[in-house]
Structures are given as structure tokens and as C-alpha cells.
Amino acid sequence: MTHIDPMSRRGFLVGLAGTALAVGVAQRVAAAEDHDGDTVTSAQSLRWLRRGNARWVRRDIKRADHTPPYRDITNGQWPIASVVSCADSRVNAESVFDVAQGNLFNVRNAGNVGGDISIGSIEYSVGVLKVPLLVVLGHSSCGAVVAAQRALRTGEMPGGDIDAVVEAIIPAIERLPVNHTLEQAIEANAAHTARLLRRNSRIIDSAVSRGRLRIMSAVYDIRSRRVEFATRGRSIGGM
Ligand SMILES: [Zn+2]
């Protein structure tokens, strides 16, 4: 090994280059652990969401940023998951999963249902942005599900275009026992939307079939702040 006087200009530059190289390698190693290029697996994405929700539960908010370290969200987006959630003001996914801007591709509507516009939005995130995970997130005390239960029991519709929301939820709950609980209806509605998204979209279905996308349903409990993912057998596809 050639001796370099550390005080010489050359030695100083070599030292600097070595430090820069070491930092660069360390950054790449850290990036490689989390990201394979821009690709994140559904398992990694799910781990981040679970960990983020655990922080949200214990009020240890970090707003973890999972954008690849060599990427800048002013030049594009690299979301780790798509989340279909309710328009309810208490159910914003970045908070619930404690992640930063740019991490989640959000589709929101009353009752987290899957109409054409929702599907088109998700198809963009799956086909173009290549998200590995799609989560349909129902939540406790969902007024849209309550309205659908009422419509089913009494035949009373809420009126206006809210009827479209209720009509989208009814097929999810009409096969439940007559005396089903609100919790069961909320869970069934999220699972129904998850199935429907795959059934009604060739882009989503083909991504699942090729192992590029996993679909899961989950329920967020506003009181405990906890997200409960549906058990493995009920998730659709994955890698
Ligand atoms: Zn709701």
C-alpha cells in the first residue's frame, strides 16, 4: 500500500474521496435494503404501513419518508401503496400510517367504494406508478355503511346522489345475517370493494396474476387508532 502523507494536498484529496466513497456506499446499502431500484415489494410496503400505524397508535409521529433516497418528489412520485379509503375527515391515510407526502396514492370517496373513477385512478397507480400494494381501508362508525344498513332494513334511501353510495355498499352487506353488526358490515364492505376492484379492472387483475400487486382490505378503528388488516387468506394476490 502506497504511503500518502496525510498533510499533503494529494493525501487530503485521497482522504476526502475515500470518505465520499464510504458515505456513498453506505447510502446505497441503506437504499438497497429498502428499495430495489425504484421497486418496493408488497411485503416491504405492508411492513412500513404496519410500523407506521403502530407509531400512530402510540402517538410517536415520525412521518417516515419511504421515497427512494435518490429520488425527489418535485420531479415525480414513487408511492409505496395505493389506499382506497372513506372521505370521512378522520380517515386520512398519511396520518393513520404515519408516512410522508409522496408515499401513498390516495383514492377517497364516501364508503370506500369502487366505481369507474376510483378504478381509473387506481389503474394509473398500478399500471404507471407500479405500486406493489393496494389497501382498501374501511373504518369504524362509517356513516355511509350505516346508511346502507338502514336502506337495507327499511327501504329508506338518503336521497340525492348519496343514493349512489348506498347502492354501491348494499351488495357488500345484503348477504350478511339480518342482525349483523355495524363492524361486520364495515369489514364486509372493505372486502367487497377489494374483490370488485380486481374483478372490474383488467389492469389490476393482470398485475395481481403476475405477482406484481397484492390487494388487502383493512379496517381502521378511530378510537384505538389501530388498523386491522384482513387475514392472509382473505388478501388477494401478492408476492
Ligand atoms: Zn366512512
Side-chain angles (χ1 to χ4, degrees):
M1 192 176 163
T2 316
H3 172 75
I4 298 165
D5 178 356
M7 295 310 285
S8 76
R9 183 178 157 77
R10 182 160 175 261
F12 179 70
L13 287 176
V14 168
L16 263 188
T19 308
L21 187 70
V23 169
V25 168
Q27 278 171 348
R28 278 198 300 277
V29 168
E33 281 171 4
D34 289 347
H35 295 270
D36 173 18
D38 289 338
T39 308
V40 174
T41 64
S42 61
Q44 178 64 79
S45 170
L46 184 58
R47 234 181 338 262
W48 281 329
L49 297 189
R50 284 187 193 280
R51 281 184 200 155
N53 178 243
R55 290 194 302 274
W56 174 248
V57 168
R58 60 176 192 266
R59 292 173 166 74
D60 172 27
I61 308 304
K62 288 197 163 57
R63 283 278 182 184
D65 191 355
H66 303 295
T67 294
Y70 41 86
R71 294 294 193 181
D72 175 353
I73 61 164
T74 59
N75 298 323
Q77 52 173 326
W78 295 267
I80 59 166
S82 265
V83 181
V84 180
S85 56
C86 186
D88 190 297
S89 59
R90 301 162 293 181
V91 190
N92 52 320
E94 278 85 0
S95 295
V96 165
F97 293 116
D98 190 29
V99 294
Q101 181 187 20
N103 286 184
L104 298 177
F105 189 92
N106 285 296
V107 176
R108 292 180 73 172
N109 56 53
N112 42 270
V113 296
D116 287 352
I117 304 294
S118 295
I119 290 175
S121 306
I122 298 160
E123 284 183 345
Y124 177 75
S125 74
V126 171
V128 179
L129 304 176
K130 312 287 183 199
V131 295
L133 181 67
L134 167 57
V135 178
V136 179
L137 186 65
H139 69 97
S140 60
S141 316
C142 183
V145 176
V146 171
Q149 281 182 310
R150 189 180 306 126
L152 201 59
R153 283 172 185 160
T154 66
E156 252 178 67
M157 293 297 277
D161 283 346
I162 308 176
D163 286 2
V165 173
V166 164
E167 280 159 11
I169 298 174
I170 285 176
I173 62 172
E174 63 188 353
R175 292 205 182 102
L176 293 174
V178 184
N179 58 347
H180 68 263
T181 64
L182 176 59
E183 288 69 30
Q184 287 169 327
I186 288 162
E187 213 180 306
N189 181 47
H192 173 80
T193 300
R195 282 191 302 272
L196 188 106
L197 294 177
R198 182 176 183 185
R199 197 189 313 142
N200 291 353
S201 164
R202 268 195 303 146
I203 291 174
I204 296 172
D205 179 54
S206 123
V208 172
S209 301
R210 284 184 288 145
R212 280 211 307 102
L213 177 72
R214 180 176 180 183
I215 309 178
M216 296 188 82
S217 63
V219 175
Y220 172 58
D221 185 324
I222 291 170
R223 191 173 294 275
S224 73
R225 298 161 72 102
R226 198 175 297 280
V227 172
E228 202 70 58
F229 285 89
T231 48
R232 192 174 172 75
R234 286 155 63 201
S235 76
I236 303 165
M239 48 183 174

